[in-house]
Amino acid sequence: IPIILALILSRICGCIFFQGTKKMRVEHFMRFCSVLLLFIAAGFFSSSMHKWQELDIVGTWSPARERPWINQEVFDASECCSDKTNRFFVLMRALLGYQDQPTPFE
């Protein structure tokens, strides 16, 4: 019964999606996807810069007192927007490379 129900629901969802996107212009869809892809690529780049910092390629990373200016945090938003405890910001970190304590290099 679960398989049959899943097939029926997927068919209904597919029909609704197809009918809803018939009137959508391809230009708007491509523009939206391009901007989304740009943000995701920027997040990957930011995450890779953070990994470089942790590997001490760009100055020292630890201890925090001995970090050069390029590895010191610009601001600290971990009180309200923590990317380790708040589920929304965990998702933003995974998708867009959000950091609650960014550095100038990131």
Side-chain angles (χ1 to χ4, degrees):
I1 291 178
I3 295 173
I4 295 170
L5 185 62
L7 289 172
I8 292 170
L9 286 176
S10 65
R11 173 85 179 196
I12 292 170
C13 289
C15 288
I16 291 171
F17 179 75
F18 180 72
Q19 293 298 325
T21 57
K22 263 185 173 176
K23 299 174 187 170
M24 187 189 324
R25 294 181 57 173
V26 176
E27 293 175 21
H28 298 306
F29 177 74
M30 293 303 288
R31 187 169 294 148
F32 171 76
C33 288
S34 297
V35 170
L36 182 64
L37 186 62
L38 183 68
F39 277 105
I40 291 172
F44 282 147
F45 182 74
S46 174
S47 296
S48 67
M49 293 298 107
H50 183 76
K51 295 298 180 192
W52 277 28
Q53 287 176 317
E54 287 180 348
L55 292 172
D56 291 337
I57 293 175
V58 186
T60 58
W61 183 252
S62 63
R65 291 181 307 232
E66 298 177 12
R67 291 181 187 174
W69 69 271
I70 201 162
N71 288 344
Q72 292 180 2
E73 62 187 42
V74 177
F75 60 86
D76 185 3
S78 60
E79 297 270 333
C80 68
C81 310
S82 176
D83 61 352
K84 294 167 184 60
T85 57
N86 189 325
R87 289 184 181 179
F88 174 75
F89 291 107
V90 168
L91 179 66
M92 290 299 105
R93 181 177 181 137
L95 290 179
L96 305 175
Y98 168 78
Q99 296 280 339
D100 60 357
Q101 297 173 340
T103 63
F105 191 64
E106 296 171 349

